[in-house]
Amino acid sequence: MSVLTIKNLSFNYPNNSILKNINIHVDQGEIVSILGGSGVGKTTLFNLIAGINELQSGTIEIQGDSNFKGKVSYMLQKDLLLEHKTVIQNIILPLLIKKVNKKEAEAEAEAIKNLKLFNLYDYKDKYPSELSGGMRQRVALLRTYMFKEELFLLDEPFSALDAITKISLHSWYLDICKKFNLTTLLITHDIDEAIDLSDRIYIIKNKPGEIISEIKVQLNGENVDEQKLKYKREILKLLGL
């Protein structure tokens, strides 16, 4: 089942074409990456899906519905945690925005399947300044999950982390996606990250940004590192690098 379908989408600012004829889809339970360099329209595409920018041409459907605004959980590159609020207070903000009673919101956030699976139960009363970068991203991801929408939009959520923390969070996020059956569209400029996380990768290039290729990632059996290297070489060739 397709959660997100985009057809023939183009977008322009005055005197500046940003996106050209974008056609992509994301199926239930998939992690799909949009991979490309800076300035090719990746964030603009996300802003269109999230309804921040008005659609100009083409169609966007979420679960077959063209009334797609407000139907995604969107996490920006920066965690944007409120420093004066505790972890649990940050996490329940989406529920409070939806007018859920505060005690009910806290009870839902503290449920074993949420805080404990996100490895945050022991940190619920701490403040963001007391957390590591990896822990802050876990809080931001759980807060994003609490919006309870079918599609996760993640805009380079791991880019500010060191390499070891990033690898750890990649493994953790893959596990979370399986347990919660999450559907994710991920922006990244990190080729290794795209290969490690994705079921499929769309390569976006040029100005205006165009989808130039779709790569299905299948890592299995032995010699996984060799398989990853093969994908990386293919992507580098497509990007002209």
Side-chain angles (χ1 to χ4, degrees), residues 134-181:
M135 280 295 177
R136 291 179 68 106
Q137 291 305 93
R138 290 175 193 261
V139 174
L141 282 162
L142 180 50
R143 183 178 63 184
T144 303
Y145 170 76
M146 297 302 283
F147 278 103
K148 302 293 186 181
E149 301 297 345
E150 285 294 323
L151 179 66
F152 259 43
L153 299 181
L154 302 183
D155 188 350
E156 300 193 27
F158 310 114
S159 62
L161 302 174
D162 63 83
I164 293 174
T165 302
K166 184 183 290 189
I167 291 170
S168 175
L169 270 183
H170 286 171
S171 177
W172 168 81
Y173 188 69
L174 287 171
D175 186 49
I176 287 293
C177 284
K178 289 179 182 177
K179 288 177 178 176
F180 286 88
N181 194 30

Side-chain angles (χ1 to χ4, degrees), residues 51-214:
I52 296 170
N53 289 348
E54 290 293 328
L55 189 63
Q56 294 177 346
S57 66
T59 61
I60 298 175
E61 293 184 351
I62 293 181
Q63 293 186 316
D65 188 353
S66 59
N67 183 20
F68 61 90
K69 291 185 179 180
K71 294 184 178 179
V72 300
S73 298
Y74 190 178
M75 180 175 161
L76 301 172
Q77 184 175 355
K78 294 182 179 180
D79 59 56
L80 299 178
L81 299 181
L82 300 180
E83 300 294 338
H84 65 286
K85 291 186 178 291
T86 63
V87 165
I88 191 71
Q89 289 170 339
N90 270 282
I91 287 168
I92 67 173
L93 281 174
L95 297 177
L96 297 182
I97 290 169
K98 293 187 174 185
K99 308 299 183 183
V100 174
N101 175 275
K102 184 178 179 181
K103 288 186 177 180
E104 292 178 9
E106 289 180 350
E108 182 172 346
E110 288 182 1
I112 291 175
K113 69 175 184 177
N114 290 338
L115 278 180
K116 288 195 173 180
L117 280 177
F118 277 73
N119 299 324
L120 293 171
Y121 190 82
D122 294 333
Y123 300 87
K124 63 179 182 173
D125 296 319
K126 293 186 179 295
Y127 289 88
S129 61
E130 301 176 84
L131 305 179
S132 67
M135 280 295 177
R136 291 179 68 106
Q137 291 305 93
R138 290 175 193 261
V139 174
L141 282 162
L142 180 50
R143 183 178 63 184
T144 303
Y145 170 76
M146 297 302 283
F147 278 103
K148 302 293 186 181
E149 301 297 345
E150 285 294 323
L151 179 66
F152 259 43
L153 299 181
L154 302 183
D155 188 350
E156 300 193 27
F158 310 114
S159 62
L161 302 174
D162 63 83
I164 293 174
T165 302
K166 184 183 290 189
I167 291 170
S168 175
L169 270 183
H170 286 171
S171 177
W172 168 81
Y173 188 69
L174 287 171
D175 186 49
I176 287 293
C177 284
K178 289 179 182 177
K179 288 177 178 176
F180 286 88
N181 194 30
L182 300 181
T183 303
T184 305
L185 184 61
L186 169 74
I187 282 177
T188 184
H189 61 267
D190 185 327
I191 296 173
D192 293 318
E193 178 171 85
I195 295 169
D196 286 343
L197 288 178
S198 307
D199 297 294
R200 290 183 295 112
I201 302 169
Y202 287 108
I203 308 297
I204 186 169
K205 189 181 176 182
N206 304 325
K207 293 186 179 181
E210 301 175 274
I211 301 296
I212 63 166
S213 184
E214 175 190 351

